[in-house]
Amino acid sequence: MSMDLIYKYRTRLIVGTWMLALCACRKFVTLNDPQGQLTSGRVFNDKGSATAAVLGLYTNYIDYTFPVMCKTGGLASDELFTTNPELTPYLSNEILPSIALPGDTWAQEFAHIRECNLAINGLENATSLDIDIKNQLLGEAKFLRAFGFFNLLNFYGGVPLTLSINDIENASLPRASEQDVWKQIFKDLVEAKELVAVEYPSAERARINKSAVAAFLARAYLYHNEWENAEDEATEVIEQNSYSLEDLSRVFTPQSKETILQIYIQQGINPLVFDYLPPAPGFAPAVYLRNDFKAAFEPGDLRKDNWVGTDGSLSFVHKYKNNDYTSTEYLLLFRLAETYLIRAEARAQRDHITGLNSAESDINTVRSRSNLKNITITDKKAALIAIEQERKVELFGEYPHRWFDLKRMKGLTSLSQTRADEVVAALKGATWQPTDKLFPIKSEDIRLNPQLKQNDGYPNQ
Amino acid sequence: MRLTAFVVLCFSFFITMLIPPSGHAQGRGELLIDVNFKQTSLKTILKDIERKANVIVMYESTDLRMNDKVDISLKRKPLAAVLDTLLGKQNLKWTLRNNTVRIEDASYKNQSSGSLFSMPALIPVSGIIYDPEGQPLGGVTIIVKSTGKGTISGPDGRFELELAQGEELLISSIGCADQKVVIQNGNTVKIRMVRTISKLDEIQVMGYGSTTRRLGTGTISSVKTEEIDKQPVGNVISAIDGRMSGVQVVQPNGLPGAGLMVQVRGDNTLGPNFGFSASDPLYVIDGIPQITAYRSYDTRLTIGVYGMNGASNLLSNLNPKDILQIDVLKDADATAIYGARGANGVVLITTKKGQPGRIRFNVDLNTGVGSIERFIPLLNTAQYLDLRKEAFANEGITPDANNAPDLVSWSANVDNDFQRMIFGGKAKQSNANISISGGNDFVRYYAGLNYRKEGTVMPGYNAVKRIGGLLNLDITSTNRKFDVQFSVNYSNEQSDIPSVNFQSMLFMPPNYEPVNPDGSYNWNPNFNNPLASLKARYEAENMLLNTAVTLSYRPLNRLTLKLLSSYSLHRSDNSTQNPAESFNPFYGPQVAYTTFAYSPTTSYTIEPQAVYRFRTGAGEFTALAGGTVSSALSKSTILYGSDYAYGSLLNTISSAGTVFASDLYNKYNYASGFARITYNLNRKYLLNLNYRKDASSRFGPNHKLAGFASVGAAWIFSSEAGIMKSLPVLSFGKLKVSYGTTGNDRVDNYLYEMYYNTYNGSYFSPGYEGINTLGPGISANPALAWEITRKAELSLDLGFLKDRILLHGNIYRNRSSNIINAELLSGQAGTTFVTTNFDAVVQNKGLELELTTRNIQTRDVSWTTSLNISLTKNTLIRFNNIENADASSRYIVGAPVNVYLDYYKYSYAGPDPVTGVPGFKNLDDVPGADRYVVGIGTPYYGGLNNTITFRNFTLDVFIKFQNRRGKQNDLLTRVPFGGMSNQNISALSRYRPGKDNEDVVWPLAVSGVGPLTSVYSNFYNSDFAYGNIPYLKIKNVNLSYDIPARLINKAGMNSVKIYLQSQNLFTLAKQKYVMDPEMPGAYPSLRTFVFGINCSL
């Protein structure tokens, strides 16, 4: 190439080399994944890493979220008591949105939902994952997302439906209606039920199978007053041979036959025991049972002996036993006794009150495990009262069952009220307002997203 | 492969751009050019030919034929043919020699001088230029005075010109005095340049080149080896402290091995505390930009594990005696060539190179001792116990063994001085430097070996040792066209010092005994035991290996091609070892643990460059084009070991019972292309244009590339004859203006993409069913882009009395925008923030003055003075969406960027006359809070240096002064006044119930156990202990004596110098209650005396 030729085409050469250099630069500054970190695309195209990412979703309930839900729900209802000044606003149902709350269910559940969204998106776009693995994992992620929305819905009402993987987009969404959130929960659960396997994917009952989805669907249909669906799903679980009511002392062990879904806990760090059990004899736990709670048990109810601990005059939730860092107990999310009580309530609502395959028979199944005599029920109202009572003493402390029950159940004196308006108002007097059924959204979250509307009855800041 | 392709591409690009057609004089007549004119004057056409063929056309300017209008249309015809066609018709004759075309009237054949053409006959002149050492010197500008035209010498120092007898040549070269040569008869001239004595002509290193204060268009401050050598400092960056305007050295503490930082013209980002980008300058060692994979430079070496001396950085690994000079680039014109990395200024460090000539062998040995210059005057035991008793009495509380062991259990006859017990020792230091340098025309070398050991003033064995070596080799081919520079710098720094900060332990009750009579430690729940804390150790080994090769090739006189390449390895291998007995048993179980961190960083940089210099007319162009490809990889492995069964093997992870491990990985790639054109017209008008296109791996796919540009212009008005005539005292005057943009990409890596992370069995992330789970990381922002700083500057340089007085002054304004910080997201996003660019502007404005005077200059005595002063103001001008920014409550529009909530203070109004509790003024700055923004930062700072030589004696005294704002009392802590902590003697002036309390300083004393304590929380957040702390430090004194040559020559020595040096000799400060006003609350810088000898043979 002679110099003159170069000179003649110099403009083209300069432009050409410049373009090539720019391309080279751009390529040079485009990095591979850093060591120890993977892009979503790589995570979900490999069986091992995709599973590790979905298992990460379960761990979200190990740390704070779950105990906070149990504590705050229990305190807001007639179940738990505390002297901890951080928690007393829940006790008096006077929660201020401006004050930072211990363990923020709102933020924690949305963080969990963000991870579920990322997993669902990653799995849906995965091309080289075995279809069985992909379906199972996708089903688990959808179930867990529905669980997040279910908890949010029950604490806060209609929440923003954050389904995108774009955090900034999600951050500015307005609230959806309660009905739309329900739709999303059912959509995820129905899809999950199609996707997951009948058998548990691992040796323990710590991951989701078809029965776990059915148990959740039963609970969701019940809360949504779809009695027939609730009964069907509950029956589907109960008819599985693998589940049976366990001896009371073994209900919360990892080997329990009653378990439908547990969260795996590494030895020693079951988060519920730290709040429920006295740190040492003579020291009150963060939250404990109200004085009158023990009176709710009928004489001879074995649950009182097995599940209520006593330290002096104080009684506390003692379903999980050890707080000495050696606990091997998992965290129970769904178990057969609740499913029986769901079916009982659905049957009562469908007026199958007494006799074979009735509300009464399901209630007595649960009662007999606790060494209680069978009861006979004659009308629907009595059935519903019996079910509420049975749920109270069976399910206390392990999930905000009581708080959610009081909020959703119709009042006994007036159908326009809920049981919360009757029970909590009677207990706490003037500090109770009907709007207290929903917790407030933190004012900081509203400040950062002006689209967000505060729940009724709370100041906007 | 990709890289090679890139380098080749860059080179081909430069060559194609820079090489003119057949750019050599011999064949210029055959050079093909196009000429196409209609009815155009001959004069204009010849001008066009001058440009196209790069020749100088000379003719008799009175020749009327030059105005003749002619037609000519020739395509790709040789120059000779073009000239024939053009001039033949006009009956003009032409000759071509070298690059000069002479046109004469053909009708006057064989004419010489005296013809109708008054143009003198031209004679060819060739010359060779030598540098002061006698070596051929290339790149020298040679100008014919009468025409203003000229040439540049080749690498062999040679030049050729045609000129008339008696013409004067002006010869100038950077670093040398201008010379004038009148050409008489001789066809060959030999010129030896001499070094300049004017500071204006000293070499300043700039980005990709060098310049002088006289001819530069950028603002650069320099400190040279002579000044560095006079300071017995361990870190070379200390040696520039106070000596440059606009440059502050940020020193975290006075311990050896502490990581020092340079800050140029203030914080351009949101500050070190809450910002998401860093404001470190770019460090360039011998032309190689030092890069790190972390956003901030000081975290480069020590990751996760720190000793008492804090985060280290590679600058502490450099040997000050190996440094030739440090130049700091400040304005847009000087920094824009570094584009995206130049926003925070550039620190250029140049190491010593060999000089041709005899072999120089130099040995420098010194030893010295350092101690604390000033202690804070504290209450003695009697005064302290008085204060304590009074505090209890004030609240009606009875002291007992629990709430007041100092009053009840401890002896009142013990009077311990903890300041002197912990910091009262002598820090020994010793240094040894050996270097050898020399060479000839073709090989030059500098090799040095150094050792330094520096102790601390604390009890026990504490020392930081450094051993290192430097080799610089420079090889030139016999035809001087090819040059290779090779450099290896290795250094290893080992620390064995305590790991904890003792500051809080200096002020324990004076009657506290740290050791019980039985020899065991005396523990109590109120504070740590200093002797036990000394057992917690920091052991570190920081290693630096820098290698660089620079290849230069000059295919043509005007063109230099260069390829710089470097590889660095910086490695930190350190641990903090905490034996069980170092922990206070009142604070928890005494469990031994050790943290180990191993952090290697490797980086490489490749920079091809081409420089093309040429003259046209009276002007000289220097064109530079180049590229950078660099990559840094930082890794770190951190091991945390606990449950050690015995304390004697804390220095190994193998004997730990439990181990947690974590690792870090960071990669940073960076590439760019840059160009600069400098135009120098008659050494009177200077213009400098920079452009740079950068690519950084830290931004998203569509934001990786960005362009930066600057323009600088200067007018040397002292070159205007008229001005010089009217101002005879003025010897130099230059007015300079620059404007441009630079960028900042000092943010974390990988922010543009969301990654899943794994955790390794720590109990924060337990895993699930035995599987280590994966979790998504922080929110990604693919739109993240560069911070941009726009810099504007106006400066004036004046020289008086033949440059004996030199004054430089400038005003500047830097505005940084597109500031990177965290934007908070509403909780429903499931993540708390996303890193983003804010529409925010941070402004740094300032005035800088530098004055140098040669007061006396005789054969026996000389006295020079230099003074610099900087005034600065930092303001957060705008911050849109501040309410969504992370830590939004901390930034205040209109205040400096590092004002955050801590600097909102209550205004202390003295004790309440009735109750004695602290009173505060009513203020409205923060509604309802009675707080106001106290001043922070450094409103002015500067330095004054005097150097006096008398015969063989030299005395230097350097004074640093500053007005900074900050803590005025090291002792005011969260322990209430009257609580179990000693206080300085100002506490004698305090409110006492029932006494005359006029003019007392301190409020009522309280015990710290009573209800009144809470009243005092505002007191600790007040301006009581906060304010201006102006100070003046005799930072450095150097006295040296050169032993007369006649005494040492017999011993074969060339020179022997003995010297006494002192650092931080004396501090004059308004505030007595801080140990060191330069760094309140930290281990102070020591007053050091060093005695040494320097022999050269």
Side-chain angles (χ1 to χ4, degrees), chain B residues 166-486:
Chain B
E167 277 271 26
E168 196 173 35
L169 293 180
L170 294 178
I171 295 151
S172 55
S173 174
I174 280 179
C176 297
D178 288 1
Q179 292 212 31
K180 290 174 185 172
V181 178
V182 178
I183 299 302
Q184 305 285 8
N185 301 321
N187 281 2
T188 304
V189 288
K190 288 185 177 174
I191 297 153
R192 185 161 178 168
M193 306 300 284
V194 287
R195 289 259 172 262
T196 179
I197 52 158
S198 173
K199 272 199 142 343
L200 289 175
D201 296 305
E202 284 180 355
I203 291 179
Q204 290 190 315
V205 183
M206 61 192 264
Y208 307 101
S210 56
T211 183
T212 61
R213 258 176 83 177
R214 189 186 297 281
L215 294 176
T217 50
T219 302
I220 302 172
S221 288
S222 311
V223 164
K224 309 223 170 256
T225 184
E226 302 86 60
E227 285 171 84
I228 297 170
D229 276 351
K230 286 165 186 168
Q231 305 180 60
V233 291
N235 190 320
V236 71
I237 293 301
S238 305
I240 67 168
D241 188 11
R243 290 172 193 256
M244 294 176 175
S245 66
V247 177
Q248 283 172 286
V249 172
V250 182
Q251 188 169 0
N253 58 63
L255 281 159
L260 270 61
M261 301 284 304
V262 175
Q263 188 170 59
V264 182
R265 292 184 171 175
D267 255 323
N268 290 310
T269 68
L270 289 178
N273 297 299
F274 307 103
F276 273 60
S277 54
S279 60
D280 319 34
L282 174 68
Y283 297 90
V284 178
I285 300 177
D286 286 332
I288 310 288
Q290 303 293 306
I291 65 164
T292 160
Y294 296 104
R295 69 174 151 142
S296 186
Y297 201 76
D298 63 349
T299 52
R300 179 171 202 167
L301 286 178
T302 28
I303 310 291
V305 173
Y306 301 102
M308 195 182 167
N309 56 358
S312 179
N313 63 36
L314 77 87
L315 300 169
S316 66
N317 272 52
L318 296 175
N319 174 29
K321 297 270 188 227
D322 285 337
I323 306 303
L324 182 68
Q325 73 181 68
I326 298 177
D327 299 85
V328 177
L329 314 184
K330 297 187 278 194
D331 72 333
D333 181 65
T335 55
I337 194 76
Y338 288 106
R341 299 185 292 187
N344 303 320
V346 183
V347 179
L348 303 170
I349 298 168
T350 308
T351 60
K352 288 178 179 166
K353 310 286 186 304
Q355 296 295 336
R358 66 184 175 80
I359 297 171
R360 282 161 231 247
F361 185 69
N362 187 283
V363 179
D364 188 286
L365 301 168
N366 67 51
T367 180
V369 65
S371 56
I372 302 276
E373 182 208 332
R374 37 187 248 159
F375 290 101
I376 300 170
L378 296 179
L379 302 180
N380 63 26
T381 297
Q383 292 165 329
Y384 167 77
L385 294 177
D386 268 357
L387 170 70
R388 288 280 288 159
K389 282 178 201 149
E390 193 182 306
F392 278 94
N394 286 342
E395 293 173 291
I397 298 172
T398 311
D400 59 42
N402 278 327
N403 64 22
D406 51 339
L407 287 177
V408 177
S409 317
W410 299 343
S411 164
N413 301 319
V414 172
D415 203 344
N416 276 325
D417 180 345
F418 289 103
Q419 288 185 97
R420 286 173 178 81
M421 186 183 284
I422 302 169
F423 282 173
K426 300 273 183 246
K428 288 187 193 131
Q429 60 161 281
S430 40
N431 281 283
N433 269 273
I434 301 171
S435 70
I436 184 160
S437 69
N440 55 33
D441 288 9
F442 305 108
V443 180
R444 290 165 297 284
Y445 54 86
Y446 174 94
L449 197 64
N450 64 82
Y451 171 79
R452 179 182 173 91
K453 182 178 176 184
E454 188 177 342
T456 77
V457 294
M458 292 177 288
Y461 178 83
N462 304 297
V464 175
K465 288 186 283 191
R466 182 178 64 215
I467 188 156
L470 171 70
L471 174 66
N472 277 332
L473 195 59
D474 188 345
I475 298 166
T476 309
S477 68
T478 44
N479 64 2
R480 294 180 185 278
K481 281 187 177 292
F482 194 69
D483 188 81
V484 185
Q485 283 179 20
F486 178 74

Side-chain angles (χ1 to χ4, degrees), chain B residues 730-810:
Chain B
L730 192 73
S731 51
F732 179 70
K734 181 167 79 167
L735 193 63
K736 202 170 74 179
V737 59
S738 71
Y739 181 80
T741 59
T742 48
N744 186 12
D745 73 340
R746 281 180 173 66
V747 294
D748 286 337
N749 300 296
Y750 313 118
L751 290 172
Y752 52 86
E753 176 128 33
M754 205 281 297
Y755 286 103
Y756 275 80
N757 304 295
T758 183
Y759 306 96
N760 195 8
S762 82
Y763 60 48
F764 309 109
S765 174
Y768 201 79
E769 296 192 305
I771 291 170
N772 283 331
T773 58
L774 282 167
I778 59 166
S779 200
N781 183 0
L784 197 68
W786 318 68
E787 287 182 356
I788 294 165
T789 301
R790 291 182 174 79
K791 301 179 181 178
E793 182 181 305
L794 180 69
S795 79
L796 181 68
D797 279 280
L798 295 173
F800 300 97
L801 304 173
K802 294 182 178 165
D803 298 347
R804 283 184 74 154
I805 300 173
L806 290 177
L807 179 69
H808 167 85
N810 70 60

